[in-house]
Amino acid sequence: KEAERLVYSSTGSVRPSSKPADTYNEDTERRPSNMHGLTKIMAEDVIFLYGKKLAIFRYSYVYGKG
């Protein structure tokens, strides 16, 4: 059976680095600050082609103990 929903982990690097992070919303222009951000934008675009219910989380500075 084909998946009906998708959750994709992206990165804050798809947004312009010149704006404070708290000013971003869903309509903020995607303008990558590095190659990592560019490849994440490309992956997001492929996901949008499928037209499924999806959520994209754009994390920044994810780290943990260790």
Side-chain angles (χ1 to χ4, degrees):
K1 180 178 175 183
E2 188 174 315
E4 295 177 14
R5 299 177 197 179
L6 176 67
V7 176
Y8 179 69
S9 295
S10 191
T11 178
S13 296
V14 302
R15 302 293 188 198
S17 59
S18 60
K19 290 182 70 171
D22 62 349
T23 63
Y24 296 144
N25 63 39
E26 294 161 347
D27 298 321
T28 302
E29 175 188 13
R30 298 182 306 164
R31 191 175 51 216
S33 56
N34 54 41
M35 185 59 73
H36 176 71
L38 177 62
T39 59
K40 287 292 193 169
I41 284 177
M42 293 166 66
E44 289 179 10
D45 289 346
V46 169
I47 291 166
F48 280 122
L49 291 175
Y50 284 95
K52 303 289 182 189
K53 292 181 182 178
L54 62 99
I56 297 175
F57 293 96
R58 295 190 176 115
Y59 301 103
S60 295
Y61 304 108
V62 178
Y63 64 95
K65 188 176 180 180

